[in-house]
Amino acid sequence: MLKSRPFLLLVVLPLALIVVLGVAIFGGQAMSDSNVGSDIQHALAKELDTSNEIELSQLQEVQYGYGICGLYRTASSENGYASFFYDKDSENIELDINSRLYKSRCGLSSVC
């Protein structure tokens, strides 16, 4: 019985703490990333002042994960997709593809 106690304290307990800490860090990150799509849809609906469902496509993280470029389309739209830039920090959305903000974040020169 005395020989099993050091094994538990020196091996099992630290491994269990590392697993719990890893789940807390990476699980929280995965959960926050899963809500980004719905956050973008809500921001687009507010900006476009519509209650129709919005479909997202071609999402790409830019600025080391602080922004997202992509395409959107409303369910009732007969036109194709339109471009947008979403800033995760400020939760602002840019729909004007000729704006300086969009060109600097999602332009072809920023990708190359």
Side-chain angles (χ1 to χ4, degrees):
M1 184 74 163
L2 292 176
K3 293 183 180 185
S4 68
R5 187 174 294 164
F7 178 74
L8 287 174
L9 292 175
L10 295 174
V11 177
V12 175
L13 186 63
L15 285 176
L17 289 175
I18 289 171
V19 168
V20 168
L21 185 62
V23 167
I25 292 171
F26 296 112
Q29 183 70 25
M31 287 176 51
S32 68
D33 284 345
S34 67
N35 294 333
V36 172
S38 64
D39 291 344
I40 293 171
Q41 288 174 334
H42 290 299
L44 281 167
K46 183 178 176 183
E47 183 74 23
L48 298 171
D49 195 28
T50 184
S51 60
N52 293 331
E53 187 171 331
I54 296 174
E55 180 183 340
L56 301 175
S57 178
Q58 306 294 325
L59 299 179
Q60 179 183 5
E61 285 190 344
V62 293
Q63 289 186 299
Y64 305 104
Y66 290 107
I68 295 180
C69 295
L71 303 172
Y72 75 93
R73 182 176 98 160
T74 59
S76 63
S77 174
E78 294 179 9
N79 298 331
Y81 287 91
S83 300
F84 71 89
F85 168 72
Y86 178 73
D87 187 357
K88 285 184 183 179
D89 287 339
S90 63
E91 297 181 356
N92 288 334
I93 197 145
E94 180 67 44
L95 301 178
D96 182 14
I97 62 171
N98 294 320
S99 72
R100 194 178 124 242
L101 178 67
Y102 181 85
K103 285 182 179 180
S104 66
R105 304 304 195 274
C106 301
L108 200 54
S109 63
S110 66
V111 176
C112 297

